[in-house]
Amino acid sequence: MFKVEAIADSYDQRVVDVDTGVYLEWLVTGSRYTTEVFNLVHPGGMIPFTTSREYGVDPHTGLPFLVFRFITFGSAVRAQLRTKHLINCTFTDDLAKKFWMTVAAEALVVFGSAYNGFKVPNRRYTRVEVNEKIYTLEDFGYTTSPG
């Protein structure tokens, strides 16, 4: 399971699953946080991606929410101009891509709006759309903030 941790000798944070060695880096944001670039780092490499961020109100509950949608997955051209360490990722099949997009979705719901996925107004506040399915913290088994 992912958690937010401080990076040693830095003011930065990251979302990390210490059991698997997978972590999410937040790299660049567009104007007014409408687009963002992330890098999902895993023991076998990295997967840069770009998301859009939209805010709304749930019509059933009346509660506010934020939803991330993937614009790119496997590349982030805009960030590569500013971040030289990014390497594009090519997937061998759709199953592998879907697996890593789901891992990224889990990391993003923990990320929240800025490393605050466990402190947001409600448990379904941060949402991530993957192939027309919406994920929240609950979909990944988070009931409380991990230690």
Side-chain angles (χ1 to χ4, degrees):
M1 297 189 94
F2 284 96
K3 67 179 185 174
V4 176
E5 75 172 14
I7 299 174
D9 301 324
S10 174
Y11 293 110
D12 292 330
Q13 299 178 74
R14 66 183 180 180
V15 175
V16 63
D17 182 334
V18 293
D19 294 331
T20 63
V22 174
Y23 64 91
L24 180 73
E25 296 178 305
W26 184 29
L27 299 176
V28 178
T29 184
S31 63
R32 304 190 68 181
Y33 297 100
T34 56
T35 61
E36 293 169 271
V37 177
F38 295 90
N39 191 27
L40 187 68
V41 180
H42 58 88
M46 65 177 67
I47 305 168
F49 62 93
T50 306
T51 63
S52 66
R53 176 191 286 222
E54 298 172 26
Y55 293 90
V57 175
D58 188 297
H60 303 292
T61 64
L63 296 173
F65 68 86
L66 137 70
V67 63
F68 287 104
R69 291 186 173 88
F70 293 101
I71 298 170
T72 65
F73 195 77
S75 66
V77 175
R78 186 169 158 254
Q80 287 170 329
L81 299 173
R82 298 180 190 167
T83 310
K84 303 293 184 204
H85 76 282
L86 290 183
I87 299 169
N88 287 346
C89 175
T90 304
F91 296 94
T92 55
D93 59 52
D94 286 340
L95 191 60
K97 185 175 182 179
K98 183 177 180 182
F99 169 82
W100 286 111
M101 286 180 91
T102 305
V103 172
E106 180 181 357
L108 284 169
V109 296
V110 172
F111 174 79
S113 61
Y115 302 106
N116 63 353
F118 295 118
K119 299 175 185 171
V120 292
N122 64 76
R123 301 298 293 163
R124 298 185 51 80
Y125 179 80
T126 306
R127 302 171 182 197
V128 181
E129 183 179 305
V130 178
N131 298 322
E132 299 182 16
K133 178 174 173 30
I134 299 292
Y135 290 93
T136 66
L137 285 168
E138 295 165 342
D139 294 308
F140 296 106
Y142 295 94
T143 55
T144 61
S145 173

